[in-house]
Amino acid sequence: MKPYRFHREADEEFTEALRYYSGISPALSGRFYDQIERLITEARTHPRRYREFDPPARRLLAEDFP
């Protein structure tokens, strides 16, 4: 499986989003976290399925969260 790392700003945005969704509902925050983890696993398992937008970075969007 391919390694991954968040860009510093993306990591901050992810943490901020977790706090935001947690403020609405802990369950919603959990759903957000789980979906992002599934997307990361999918991208790491099959990286060539997703378009490069700033090589070597690739973009994969969440369905349920903006």
Side-chain angles (χ1 to χ4, degrees):
M1 194 177 306
K2 290 276 208 181
Y4 82 96
R5 64 184 170 90
F6 279 126
H7 182 279
R8 180 183 49 79
E9 292 173 2
D11 189 48
E12 291 169 3
E13 185 177 343
F14 179 60
T15 301
E16 184 179 315
L18 281 170
R19 278 192 215 116
Y20 172 78
Y21 290 123
S22 182
I24 296 170
S25 161
L28 184 61
S29 178
R31 282 185 35 226
F32 173 71
Y33 180 85
D34 290 345
Q35 186 170 94
I36 297 303
E37 286 297 312
R38 278 192 304 274
L39 292 173
I40 290 169
T41 299
E42 179 66 21
R44 292 177 68 205
T45 304
H46 306 288
R48 296 204 193 297
R49 284 186 186 173
Y50 308 101
R51 177 178 69 83
E52 286 187 321
F53 71 96
D54 186 11
R58 294 176 185 271
R59 180 170 288 163
L60 175 59
L61 302 175
E63 292 178 20
D64 298 330
F65 297 92

